Amino acid sequence: MGVVAGLSQVTRSYRADFPIFGREVNGRPLAYLDTAASAQKPRAVLDAMHEAYAYHYANVHRGVHTLGYEATAAFEAARGTVAHTINARSADEVVFVRGATEGINLLAASFGSRLVAGDAVVISELEHHANIVPWQMLREKCGIDLRIAPIGDDGALCLERFAALLTPGVRLVAVTHVSNVLGTVVPVSEVIRRAHACGSLVLIDGCQAIGHRSVDVRELDADFYVFSGHKAYGPTGIGVLWGKREILETLPPWQEGGEMIESVSFARTTFKKPTYRFEAGTPAIVEAIGLAAALEYVFAIGVPWIEAHERALTTYAIERLGRIDGVRVLPGGTGQAGILSFEMAGVHPHDIATVIDRSGVAVRAGHHCAQPLMSRLGVTATVRASVGLYTHEGDIDALADGLGCVREMFG
C-alpha cells in the first residue's frame, strides 16, 4: 500500500465526521477540492453551535441572568481555546473579528493611524487582495511607501530581494504564511527575523496555514497573526487577530460602541484595554464557540498528520495532473502546501470547473482574489485544487478523470 493510499485510508474514517460527504453532487460522490476557499464543517462544530443556540444562548458580558453567564463563559472559553491552539501567552491577546480581512483592516486603521508619509509597509507578490488593498488605501490617505517583495519563477519568495527592501523606514511587514494560489509556504520565521532586525513589526496572514500546519505565535515571534475560522473547519463570520499584548495596548480602537467602552459622558469617552477595545458591538458569540470546536477537532486529529497527509496528496495530484495532455501546474516552491493551481491549454478555467462539476468535482476557477499575482505569473486565471484532512486519493483521481473528459470535449 502506497503512502497516499495509507494516509487516505485513515482519512476515510475522518470523512465520516462530515455530514456533507453523505450526499452526492450530480449523481456522483462529492470530490470537494475547494478547501482553500472554505473548509467543510465536522459534526463536532455543527453540534456545538446547535447546543449553544438551543440551550445556552444570550448576549455576552451584559445579562445578569443564568443564560447570560453561560453564554459569556462559553464565549470566553472559546477565546482561551484559540489562545491555547496558537500558543499565545494569554487569551487577552486574541481579538475576535469577522475574518482575516477584517483583522487586516483593523490593523490598517488602528496601527495605520500612527503612520505618516514616508513610512513604509512591505508586502509580497503572493498576497491576496485583502492584504493589498488596505495598505493601498493607507498609501492614498497618508502617503506611506508600499513596497512589494518579489517571487521567483519557482513561486517562492525571493528572500534576498525582500531583505533589500528592509530599510529603517519600514514600520510593518505584512505577508502570507501560505499562498492561497500556489500553495507556496513562505519562510515566515526568517521573514520575521530579518524584519525585526530592521525595527519593523510583522503581520502574518495565516488563513491557509491554520488547521493545516502547526502555528506557534511565540515560536514565530510574529507581532500579529490573522486567520479566518471558516478556512479552519469552523463557521463563517468569525476570525482572529492575535497580537502581542504590549503592542495591542498601544493601539487605538478602530470601531466604537458596545463592550469596548469603559465609560461615556458627553464630555469624553474612555475605552477598555485589549482585547475588548477592538470588539465593538455584539460579537459573533456562537460562531466563536463553533471556531473553538473546530480547532479542538483539528488538534485532536493532530496537525502534523494533517500536514503530512496534505503534502502527500499534493505530490500525488501534481504527478497525476502532469500526465494529462496540455495541463501545466504552476510551481509552488519547496514544501508546497495542499493547494495547487493549473491551466489547460486552449480551455478557460471556468469551462474546466463547470465541466468537472458534472462529475461531482468542486474546484475554484478565476483569479482567486490575487490579480497582481496572476499578472506576475502571466495568466489571467487558473483552476485551483485544494485539499483538507477529509480529502483522499479518490478525489484526486476524480479530478484527473474529469480533466480527461475536458480534454476530449475541447480537443
Side-chain angles (χ1 to χ4, degrees):
M1 181 181 293
V3 174
V4 172
L7 290 168
S8 293
Q9 193 171 60
V10 178
T11 293
R12 290 176 193 278
S13 65
Y14 295 134
R15 198 175 176 98
D17 295 336
F18 293 78
I20 201 164
F21 291 112
R23 63 162 293 181
E24 294 184 338
V25 173
N26 295 322
R28 303 290 292 275
L30 171 61
Y32 187 76
L33 296 170
D34 199 18
T35 298
S38 197
Q40 296 297 341
K41 318 306 174 193
R43 193 177 301 281
V45 171
L46 305 177
D47 288 348
M49 296 181 71
H50 172 77
E51 174 83 9
Y53 269 130
Y55 305 110
H56 306 289
Y57 182 76
N59 211 329
V60 295
H61 302 130
R62 290 166 174 79
V64 287
H65 51 72
T66 298
L67 292 182
Y69 286 127
E70 290 177 356
T72 300
F75 179 71
E76 292 303 330
R79 195 190 307 274
T81 296
V82 172
H84 175 72
T85 299
I86 60 176
N87 197 29
R89 284 181 298 178
S90 165
D92 293 342
E93 296 182 324
V94 174
V95 181
F96 282 127
V97 289
R98 287 188 300 162
T101 297
E102 185 171 270
I104 295 170
N105 275 272
L106 188 164
L107 276 181
S110 180
F111 174 77
S113 68
R114 305 286 176 80
L115 302 185
V116 298
D119 286 339
V121 172
V122 178
I123 59 176
S124 83
E125 286 184 321
L126 290 169
E127 308 311 316
H128 63 149
H129 297 165
N131 196 31
I132 299 173
V133 179
W135 310 114
Q136 287 180 329
M137 299 294 288
L138 200 59
R139 179 176 61 187
E140 294 177 9
K141 181 179 179 182
C142 64
I144 65 164
D145 177 14
L146 184 58
R147 303 176 182 177
I148 315 300
I151 60 171
D153 292 338
D154 61 352
L157 180 70
C158 297
L159 265 177
E160 295 310 314
R161 295 178 67 185
F162 159 74
L165 300 176
L166 300 176
T167 63
V170 175
R171 300 288 304 280
L172 183 73
V173 171
V175 296
T176 187
H177 197 160
V178 175
S179 165
N180 73 312
V181 175
L182 300 175
T184 304
V185 179
V186 174
V188 289
S189 293
E190 184 62 15
V191 166
I192 292 166
R193 187 187 69 78
R194 296 192 184 203
H196 282 172
C198 90
S200 172
L201 300 181
V202 182
L203 159 67
I204 302 297
D205 174 1
C207 272
Q208 303 299 341
I210 195 79
H212 302 277
R213 57 185 52 243
S214 296
V215 174
D216 184 327
V217 292
R218 278 194 280 182
E219 183 178 12
L220 286 175
D221 196 27
D223 300 293
F224 307 105
Y225 198 98
V226 295
F227 62 87
S228 297
H230 71 98
K231 295 179 188 288
Y233 308 96
T236 55
I238 188 73
V240 168
L241 163 65
W242 167 86
K244 289 178 177 173
R245 181 170 181 170
E246 63 271 24
I247 300 176
L248 291 177
E249 287 178 340
T250 68
L251 300 181
W254 77 305
Q255 293 179 337
E256 291 77 29
E259 191 60 24
M260 56 83 69
I261 299 293
E262 184 177 65
S263 68
V264 176
S265 71
F266 285 115
R268 70 187 295 265
T269 297
T270 60
F271 305 108
K272 290 183 177 177
K273 293 183 177 180
T275 63
Y276 299 130
R277 179 187 300 172
F278 302 107
E279 296 178 353
T282 295
I285 303 163
V286 177
E287 287 77 6
I289 295 168
L291 171 59
L295 295 177
E296 288 171 346
Y297 173 81
V298 167
F299 282 84
I301 291 173
V303 176
W305 180 88
I306 295 171
E307 182 177 349
H309 168 68
E310 294 180 354
R311 280 189 173 176
L313 276 175
T314 303
T315 301
Y316 179 64
I318 292 172
E319 190 273 329
R320 283 284 274 124
L321 269 57
R323 282 190 264 145
I324 301 172
D325 183 36
V327 169
R328 182 177 76 96
V329 178
L330 278 64
T334 303
Q336 183 174 357
I339 301 171
L340 62 89
S341 275
F342 64 91
E343 57 180 354
M344 177 181 280
V347 189
H348 193 280
H350 284 175
D351 291 333
I352 296 172
T354 300
V355 170
I356 64 176
D357 176 63
R358 297 174 189 171
S359 301
V361 180
V363 293
R364 174 85 178 265
H367 55 61
H368 316 299
C369 299
Q371 288 177 305
L373 178 57
M374 293 288 111
S375 296
R376 168 63 181 84
L377 298 170
V379 298
T380 56
T382 68
V383 179
R384 184 186 69 188
S386 52
V387 304
L389 64 90
Y390 38 62
T391 310
H392 58 62
E393 86 285 359
D395 299 325
I396 305 300
D397 292 337
L399 170 63
D401 293 344
L403 293 176
C405 294
V406 172
R407 186 76 282 164
E408 291 179 7
M409 183 178 298
F410 287 89

